[in-house]
């Protein structure tokens, strides 16, 4: 008698950007990583693939032009095959794709077919930088393994529970609806993962806790999560709204746009570039890396200090706003590059909020660790936590759960 074939447990997670593909191969039997890598500068000179096998073997780097996403994924497949982890492996259960914009239609991970791809395509006008690259990545992966379930995990999905009062802009309803203008929110897999991990850290079920999640990376967003459901988030129609970011302005008076058109003669595209690429920390002080900004502040640099103050002021404003939205807050969780590493940002954002039950313990805040941890003193009514995000694990979990239990697809 032959032993039954074990069901496949591996998931390849693909995050396809306009000129890059990030990937991770995970084994969902235990959530461990088998390989991680990145192809960058696709279609440009000096393309590079960096592949790291995590069960033995050295990191490998390939240089030379990678013409397009198809060539990039082919190279990734070759690297995985060289480690005995090829895409033809029967142990591969599915490929999970990060898709930035799922609009209102996609409220949960979704198995991709032509009709789903067409809908992702229809959303290109509201995500012109991201959805086209995601589509190319999906199409290429489908060609490589047409028989395998390909699952889209949407950045917007976690936020589809927002009530209309939070999601609607107060503009003419017919115009808004005709052009699908509303607040969608982004970084959803991170907000979902971190809010759940924060509940775990508190020893509670997600349904029992209200959490303010502060995802502070190069892109940054805040969310108010009540009992595991998102009730408000700071990014809107696009990932431009809300907090001050590395290169994005976050909130500005919309009149800035037509003022610049009329007074400075700038075009819509020029203003788009100004607000998305030449604003935020980089616009305020020339640097978007919080490490560099702190170093400059230590040397007495006034512009760096101003950038830090504007960044923290906005953050504090959102903490207060979401405190009011939630009514009761159990935890404030910091995550992503800045949130996980920049103790001065955490300290400054929480400073002065003692009346709200919020405080940071200086010693706990100074600890460097990859683990989720509480940094508020014992007496504080609200926990302040640092919770490392893991968007790839979350995408793999959602992908694997869907493939195993298709009933959960909405
Ligand atoms: P992410 O988009 O989550 O990868 O975050 C990237 C950003 O995190 C960088 O631009 C830095 O501003 C910030 N960052 C990363 N490491 C540190 C660190 N050790 N201290 C302060 N900020 C950091």
């Amino acid at each position: 008698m032959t032993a039954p074939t074990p069901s496949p447990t591996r998931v390849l997670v693909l995050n396809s950007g306009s000129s890059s593909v990030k990937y991770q191969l995970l084994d969902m039997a235990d959530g461990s990583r088998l390989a991680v890598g990145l192809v960058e500068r696709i279609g440009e000179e000096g393309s590079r693939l960096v592949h790291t096998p995590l069960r033995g073997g050295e990191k490998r780097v390939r240089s030379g032009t990678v013409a397009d996403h198809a060539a990039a994924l082919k190279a990734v497949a070759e690297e995985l095959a060289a480690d005995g982890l090829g895409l033809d492996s029967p142990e591969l259960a599915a490929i999970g794709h990060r898709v930035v914009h799922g609009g209102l239609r996609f409220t949960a991970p979704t198995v991709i077919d032509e009709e789903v791809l067409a809908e992702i395509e229809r959303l290109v006008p509201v995500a012109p930088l991201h959805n086209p690259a995601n589509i190319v990545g999906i199409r290429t992966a489908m060609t490589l393994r047409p028989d395998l379930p390909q699952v889209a995990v949407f950045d917007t999905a976690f936020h589809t529970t927002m009530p209309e009062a939070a999601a609607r802009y107060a503009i003419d309803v017919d115009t808004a609806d005709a052009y699908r203008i509303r607040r969608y929110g982004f970084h959803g897999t991170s907000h979902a993962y971190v809010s759940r991990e924060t509940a775990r850290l508190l020893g509670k079920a997600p349904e029992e806790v209200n959490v303010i999640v502060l995802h502070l990376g190069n892109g940054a967003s805040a969310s108010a999560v009540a009992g595991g459901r998102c009730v408000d988030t700071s990014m809107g129609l696009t990932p431009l709204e809300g907090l001050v970011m590395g290169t994005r302005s976050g909130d500005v008076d919309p009149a800035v746009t037509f003022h610049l058109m009329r007074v400075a003669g700038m075009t819509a595209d020029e203003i788009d570039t100004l607000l998305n690429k030449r604003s935020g920390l980089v616009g305020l002080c020339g640097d978007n890396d919080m490490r560099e900004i702190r170093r400059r502040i230590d040397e007495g640099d006034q512009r760096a200090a101003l950038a830090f103050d504007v960044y923290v002021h906005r953050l504090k404003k959102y903490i207060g706003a979401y405190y009011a939205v939630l009514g009761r807050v159990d935890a404030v969780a910091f995550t992503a590059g800045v949130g996980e590493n920049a103790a001065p940002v955490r300290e400054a954002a929480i400073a002065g909020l003692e009346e709200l039950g919020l405080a940071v313990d200086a010693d706990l805040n100074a600890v460097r660790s990859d683990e989720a941890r509480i940094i508020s003193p014992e007496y504080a009514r609200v926990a302040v936590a640092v919770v490392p995000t893991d968007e790839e694990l979350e995408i793999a979990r959602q992908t694997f759960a869907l493939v195993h239990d298709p009933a959960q697809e909405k």
Side-chain angles (χ1 to χ4, degrees), residues 5-315:
T5 318
S7 57
T9 54
R10 290 180 188 163
V11 174
L12 178 66
V13 175
L14 290 180
N15 181 355
S16 306
S18 55
S19 67
S20 70
V21 175
K22 291 185 204 143
Y23 62 95
Q24 293 198 1
L25 182 66
L26 294 98
D27 190 340
M28 298 319 290
D30 58 4
S32 67
R33 263 158 258 251
L34 303 170
V36 303
L38 160 75
V39 190
E40 52 190 356
R41 302 180 68 87
I42 296 170
E44 300 166 28
E45 262 178 50
S47 316
R48 232 162 70 100
L49 183 154
V50 182
H51 175 86
T52 310
L54 297 172
R55 294 224 176 136
E58 294 288 300
K59 176 161 109 176
R60 301 192 290 276
V61 180
R62 273 201 207 188
S63 305
T65 306
V66 176
D68 52 25
H69 282 72
L73 278 190
K74 198 161 152 282
V76 170
E78 285 167 12
E79 291 299 334
L80 288 168
D83 296 327
L85 302 168
L87 293 193
D88 53 355
S89 162
E91 289 172 80
L92 191 59
I95 300 182
H97 297 267
R98 176 186 182 214
V99 179
V100 167
H101 215 308
L104 285 184
R105 151 88 189 271
F106 298 112
T107 60
T110 305
V111 175
I112 303 166
D113 57 18
E114 281 303 323
E115 193 265 323
V116 168
L117 264 174
E119 183 61 24
I120 297 171
E121 181 96 51
R122 268 196 290 279
L123 289 162
V124 165
V126 283
L129 296 179
H130 296 101
N131 275 28
N134 300 154
I135 293 167
V136 173
I138 292 167
R139 283 220 177 275
T140 310
M142 284 172 116
T143 319
L144 289 175
R145 272 299 300 268
D147 57 313
L148 202 64
Q150 312 263 343
V151 175
V153 178
F154 299 92
D155 263 20
T156 45
F158 184 62
H159 304 303
T160 53
T161 53
M162 268 195 291
E164 281 293 286
R168 278 270 171 199
Y169 291 112
I171 62 175
D172 173 68
V173 168
D174 296 334
T175 307
D177 289 350
Y179 295 100
R180 302 205 223 193
I181 296 170
R182 59 187 285 118
R183 308 189 54 258
Y184 294 99
F186 298 89
H187 292 143
T189 48
S190 178
H191 287 285
Y193 177 86
V194 171
S195 56
R196 229 179 322 103
E197 286 300 300
T198 305
R200 204 172 56 80
L201 189 65
L202 299 182
K204 302 225 164 119
E207 297 73 32
E208 295 176 292
V209 295
N210 290 350
V211 187
I212 297 172
V213 178
L214 304 169
H215 176 110
L216 311 177
N218 202 25
S221 62
S223 69
V225 183
R229 291 165 66 84
C230 176
V231 294
D232 206 349
T233 194
S234 60
M235 284 177 166
L237 173 72
T238 76
L240 181 57
E241 190 180 346
L243 300 175
V244 176
M245 312 183 208
T247 65
R248 288 174 236 160
S249 60
D251 296 335
V252 290
D253 181 343
V256 167
T257 306
F258 30 90
H259 182 74
L260 285 172
M261 283 178 161
R262 291 177 187 135
V263 175
M266 290 173 75
T267 64
D269 283 347
E270 284 167 349
I271 299 168
D272 192 330
T273 304
L274 172 78
L275 296 179
N276 275 294
K277 305 256 169 71
R278 294 198 285 122
S279 296
L281 293 171
V282 94
L284 287 163
C285 76
D287 271 309
N288 65 337
D289 193 312
M290 193 52 82
R291 283 163 288 201
E292 186 57 18
I293 290 169
R294 291 304 308 173
R295 195 192 59 72
R296 283 172 56 186
I297 293 172
D298 289 344
E299 288 177 351
D301 187 315
Q302 293 299 311
R303 279 183 62 194
L306 173 68
F308 185 85
D309 290 348
V310 174
Y311 185 96
V312 167
H313 180 83
R314 185 83 51 85
L315 195 52

